[in-house]
Amino acid sequence: MDIDALRSFLAFVETGSFTRAAKQVNRTQSAISMQMKKLEQDVNKSLFEKQGRLLSLSYDGQVFARYAKQLVQLHDDTLLQMNTAKPTTLLRLGCPDDYAESVLPTLVKLLHTQFTNLDLQINCTPSNRVKLMIDSGHLDLGVITRSPDSEEGYMLESAQGFWVYSPQHQAQQLQPLPIAIFQRDCRFHQATLEGLHKQSRDFKIIACCGSACALKGIVKSGIAISAMNELSIGDLPKLIDSNLPKLPTTDVVLVRANNQQNPVSDVFCADLSQQYRTNHRRDINTQPIV
């Protein structure tokens, strides 16, 4: 149905006359008559009836009038919204679930302070997968654990590695020592195996996976102990045991895709990195002393 015809119909509803309706919408009376005939064809109903010399709405016309008002209003609201809506910035962010509860919330908050109308799409996947998606252009921005001695990315924070366990199950006392570790590309995978081998420690790998959530579930159930950095352990208690190998410190950094479509630049990432570290220090300093 033509929106102008609906406006003409509503003008008739308001004025009760084709003549006055034509003046209201700045059309000729014959043009109004043609529009009304077309509307009646569209709905397959007679919208008008004669009462003597006067033309009035039929029963179907009265029903149609309610819907016509809604259609015109919806049309006008749609155009208003589309014409006044602020441009949306699509940003695709990758982040391992290791940092979903620690790094990610602060980063999301900072990103929304930089963009007034941000469409933030987050993909939780391991660091190696984030790198691949950055390189292939499927992500704009990524949070990763960078390799040792690498200057890749923009520093967010460093995190010390810890052994974690379930106090209710004491899996660390079992022989051979049951461990659940990250996949081979993770720094803790190599550090854990090398450390245990150097100690000639008898151990058994219960599982290797790329999900911190999965590792924490295994540890909480008492099946194994695990090694992860302090940003990933959540509410798991640290296992302080001098008989276990010391774990390394890891750097968590921000990386960006190098393509023209990326809404964030290197300068933006450097500034975001600085804001994150400033915000993180403030969060630490304002934590209550127990």
Side-chain angles (χ1 to χ4, degrees):
M1 283 179 287
D2 182 69
I3 195 70
D4 288 332
L6 291 176
R7 294 188 193 280
S8 298
F9 174 77
L10 292 177
F12 172 83
V13 173
E14 183 177 336
T15 63
S17 163
F18 277 3
T19 302
R20 290 193 293 273
K23 291 180 180 179
Q24 190 176 98
V25 298
N26 294 317
R27 288 181 178 272
T28 64
Q29 184 173 341
S30 60
I32 297 292
S33 298
M34 291 179 62
Q35 286 181 323
M36 297 307 101
K37 289 180 181 178
K38 181 63 170 60
L39 278 181
E40 289 182 322
Q41 291 174 1
D42 289 341
V43 299
N44 197 28
K45 298 287 184 182
S46 295
L47 302 178
F48 308 94
E49 61 183 14
K50 281 192 174 183
Q51 295 181 345
R53 298 179 60 185
L54 298 177
L55 192 67
S56 62
L57 290 178
S58 66
Y59 173 79
D60 290 325
Q62 295 174 23
V63 173
F64 181 70
R66 295 198 299 270
Y67 292 104
K69 289 180 181 178
Q70 294 177 30
L71 288 170
V72 171
Q73 186 64 54
L74 181 60
H75 172 273
D76 293 346
D77 289 347
T78 301
L79 289 182
L80 178 63
Q81 176 63 32
M82 297 306 295
N83 290 329
T84 60
K86 297 178 181 178
T88 298
T89 300
L90 171 63
L91 182 62
R92 302 165 299 170
L93 172 66
C95 180
D97 73 342
D98 312 34
Y99 310 127
E101 296 180 0
S102 51
V103 176
L104 192 58
T106 300
L107 199 57
V108 169
K109 183 189 297 183
L110 290 174
L111 287 170
H112 275 278
T113 65
Q114 300 298 312
F115 297 97
T116 55
N117 198 17
L118 178 63
D119 180 7
L120 183 61
Q121 302 292 322
I122 298 175
N123 191 321
C124 281
T125 191
S127 289
N128 64 332
R129 180 64 180 162
V130 170
K131 291 181 184 180
L132 290 174
M133 295 180 73
I134 286 285
D135 292 341
S136 64
H138 289 89
L139 290 176
D140 304 306
L141 203 59
V143 177
I144 64 168
T145 306
R146 73 179 172 192
S147 304
D149 305 320
S150 170
E151 296 300 322
E152 180 182 21
Y154 301 87
M155 175 66 77
L156 295 177
E157 56 183 302
S158 294
Q160 177 62 49
F162 289 97
W163 291 94
V164 290
Y165 75 120
S166 168
Q168 292 78 21
H169 299 92
Q170 300 292 324
Q172 74 278 11
Q173 297 178 5
L174 299 176
Q175 294 295 331
L177 180 68
I179 61 172
I181 53 178
F182 285 108
Q183 293 172 331
R184 290 178 177 83
D185 61 318
C186 175
R187 189 176 183 187
F188 288 124
H189 181 103
Q190 182 178 0
T192 299
L193 299 187
E194 287 182 356
L196 291 172
H197 281 307
K198 286 180 180 179
Q199 292 180 343
S200 298
R201 187 75 176 263
D202 188 18
F203 66 91
K204 179 181 180 181
I205 299 177
I206 300 301
C208 290
C209 68
S211 167
C213 182
L215 287 183
K216 286 188 282 189
I218 291 171
V219 171
K220 287 180 180 180
S221 68
I223 300 173
I225 65 172
S226 186
M228 55 183 67
N229 72 37
E230 57 188 327
L231 295 173
S232 307
I233 63 178
D235 59 355
L236 284 175
K238 300 172 183 176
L239 176 58
I240 308 302
D241 188 338
S242 59
N243 293 320
L244 290 171
K246 186 176 180 180
L247 297 172
T249 297
T250 55
D251 292 336
V252 182
V253 299
L254 197 63
V255 292
R256 68 174 289 272
N258 187 20
N259 58 63
Q260 294 182 345
Q261 292 74 34
N262 197 333
V264 297
S265 64
D266 287 318
V267 173
F268 178 93
C269 290
D271 183 60
L272 187 64
S273 165
Q274 181 60 50
Q275 288 185 54
Y276 179 94
R277 283 176 283 148
T278 301
N279 187 284
H280 179 65
R281 285 196 294 269
R282 185 184 303 116
D283 288 345
I284 292 176
N285 294 335
T286 55
Q287 286 180 356
I289 300 175
V290 179

